[in-house]
Amino acid sequence: MEESLHSINSMRNMEIIDINTGRKLGFITDIKLDCEEDKVESLIIPGEVKSWFGKGEEIEIPWKNIEKIGVDVILVSLDDVNIITGK
């Protein structure tokens, strides 16, 4: 069985799409890692910007919610995601 490997840099250039709505969510801004287990916990993408000067919300997508990583898109299911409020 052939494994599909992707670098973090190449994943940052892939657009995130919600499979439930077909909505384009944007691109990865950060990745949360579990250093003790050596695995990716979640992807962080920008949420809605509330103002020009304040930091907007971010959406944390758990790795289990990633349905498919394609050539240029990442398909996710936003059923139970966390929204992180900026400061």
Side-chain angles (χ1 to χ4, degrees), residues 4-44:
S4 179
L5 301 175
H6 298 280
S7 70
I8 292 173
N9 194 37
S10 70
M11 287 179 64
R12 289 185 62 158
N13 294 322
M14 296 179 183
E15 192 160 27
I16 309 294
I17 298 176
D18 182 6
I19 62 169
N20 299 317
T21 63
R23 192 175 106 192
K24 295 179 180 180
L25 302 172
F27 296 89
I28 298 171
T29 57
D30 207 353
I31 294 176
K32 186 185 272 188
L33 301 173
D34 180 347
C35 294
E36 291 183 16
E37 296 289 326
D38 298 326
K39 65 180 183 177
V40 175
E41 277 191 14
S42 59
L43 304 177
I44 310 293

Side-chain angles (χ1 to χ4, degrees), residues 66-77:
I66 296 175
E67 300 293 333
K68 180 78 173 169
I69 299 176
V71 175
D72 56 356
V73 297
I74 299 173
L75 301 176
V76 300
S77 176

